[in-house]
Amino acid sequence: MSRQPRADQARAHASVLLEGAVDALIHDPRGAYLDGTFGRGGHSRAILSRLASEGRLLALDRDPEACAAAADIDDARFVIERTSFAQLTEAARRHDVHGKLAGVLLDIGVSSPQLDDGSRGFSFMRDGPLDMRMDPDSGESAAQWLGRAGEREIADVFKRLGEERFARRLARAVVERRQQSPITRTVELAELLKAAHPAWEKGRHPATRAFQAIRIHINDELGQLEQALTAALEALAPGGHLVVISFHSLEDRLVKRFIRDQSRGDAHLPRGLPLREDQLDRRLEPVGRARYPNEEEVAENPRARSAVMRVARKLETERS
């Protein structure tokens, strides 16, 4: 049985880039908006505080504990669904807001409550079952994957998703250990990786990159983000705002490329093909530059340090 978070715990979680994200998102207080990652509701509550009585907010999250945290929001303008933001299209259609959304907010990655709860298995700092699933009721746990994946596959995940220099060495250590006994606990894995890592970075636990890579792989975070960006573009009304907060260079690179390609309109055309401006299928325009947390926010919430926010607007007219 999952633990039910209290309302005060939900509000205690500090949402990253809270005011900046809501400022960038809300341009029509009477519009319909979608928060693709409810988390503990910081962004959703701020959005609701800015909406007029006619406004609407649909929130999504695949984590049952996040959805439980929404129970104390008593607001007729608000509804939440337990689903991934990769399923944004289906959720928007169920609530008759597909193609009508004034804004979509995506706050990518793991939340502080997930990291802080040892029973979820996300953190090497807290002992718990090696799970790491954002939706604990579906898919394969980290322990299950590490128990069956080949050494080459594990090394590829460590290198590609964790940018770990010693991916092969760490993968080999995992495979050798599991031949003796299954790896089922977070601290057990962290100590194994720590012992196998030959070059520790100052101020960084040697298991950091591998843990990050496993989490991204288990939850298909990059694939889910790609699907969500495409779905969000289709679900937005012309003039609608897309706001994305990411915490990892791979995520931010993907978001940056998506906005760039959709703003140029020539991503799938042969290089050098002569086209007039009116022949380009531009669907988004960037709104300002990438934005980062200020010193005060980082001091309040150190996990905000790596956050990057990008904003784009869906163009009013599209080529038919």
Side-chain angles (χ1 to χ4, degrees), residues 32-84:
Y33 292 85
L34 186 145
D35 181 355
T37 43
F38 180 80
R40 292 303 182 266
H43 287 119
S44 281
R45 290 180 174 88
I47 292 167
L48 288 168
S49 73
R50 305 278 192 95
L51 294 185
S53 59
E54 306 96 322
R56 296 174 63 191
L57 175 61
L58 168 61
L60 312 177
D61 208 296
R62 53 177 164 168
D63 186 335
E65 294 192 4
C67 292
D72 68 320
I73 299 182
D74 183 14
D75 193 319
R77 301 170 300 170
F78 174 79
V79 64
I80 187 168
E81 276 206 20
R82 183 184 170 187
T83 189
S84 163

Side-chain angles (χ1 to χ4, degrees), residues 230 258 261-262 264-271 273 275 280-281:
T230 301
F258 179 81
D261 290 349
Q262 295 298 333
R264 282 170 38 183
D266 61 356
H268 304 295
L269 297 175
R271 186 181 294 273
L273 187 69
L275 288 173
L280 295 173
D281 189 17

Side-chain angles (χ1 to χ4, degrees), residues 67-125:
C67 292
D72 68 320
I73 299 182
D74 183 14
D75 193 319
R77 301 170 300 170
F78 174 79
V79 64
I80 187 168
E81 276 206 20
R82 183 184 170 187
T83 189
S84 163
F85 57 39
Q87 307 303 315
L88 188 156
T89 297
E90 293 80 356
R93 283 178 174 154
R94 281 192 292 271
H95 294 274
D96 194 30
V97 292
H98 191 264
K100 305 174 185 178
L101 289 169
V104 172
L105 171 64
L106 303 175
D107 185 359
I108 312 303
V110 67
S111 70
S112 292
Q114 289 170 327
L115 284 171
D116 293 338
D117 184 351
S119 70
R120 300 299 301 274
F122 287 104
S123 174
F124 50 79
M125 301 297 290

Side-chain angles (χ1 to χ4, degrees), residues 101-175:
L101 289 169
V104 172
L105 171 64
L106 303 175
D107 185 359
I108 312 303
V110 67
S111 70
S112 292
Q114 289 170 327
L115 284 171
D116 293 338
D117 184 351
S119 70
R120 300 299 301 274
F122 287 104
S123 174
F124 50 79
M125 301 297 290
R126 293 171 174 80
D127 188 35
L130 193 55
D131 194 310
M132 295 197 193
R133 289 173 295 175
M134 292 184 180
D135 179 355
D137 297 327
S138 67
E140 187 176 40
S141 72
Q144 289 170 328
W145 178 70
L146 286 173
R148 66 149 186 89
E151 181 178 325
R152 182 176 295 180
E153 180 183 351
I154 296 172
D156 175 67
V157 167
F158 286 176
K159 183 175 182 179
R160 181 170 47 87
L161 301 181
E163 300 175 308
E164 172 56 65
R165 288 172 54 205
F166 301 98
R168 292 179 63 184
R169 183 190 293 252
L170 299 187
R172 189 178 310 119
V174 168
V175 171

Side-chain angles (χ1 to χ4, degrees), residues 185-205:
R185 308 290 296 184
T186 52
V187 169
E188 177 189 8
L189 176 61
E191 289 301 312
L192 166 64
L193 296 171
K194 181 178 177 180
H197 206 293
W200 298 6
E201 298 176 55
K202 186 177 180 180
R204 183 192 290 266
H205 192 289

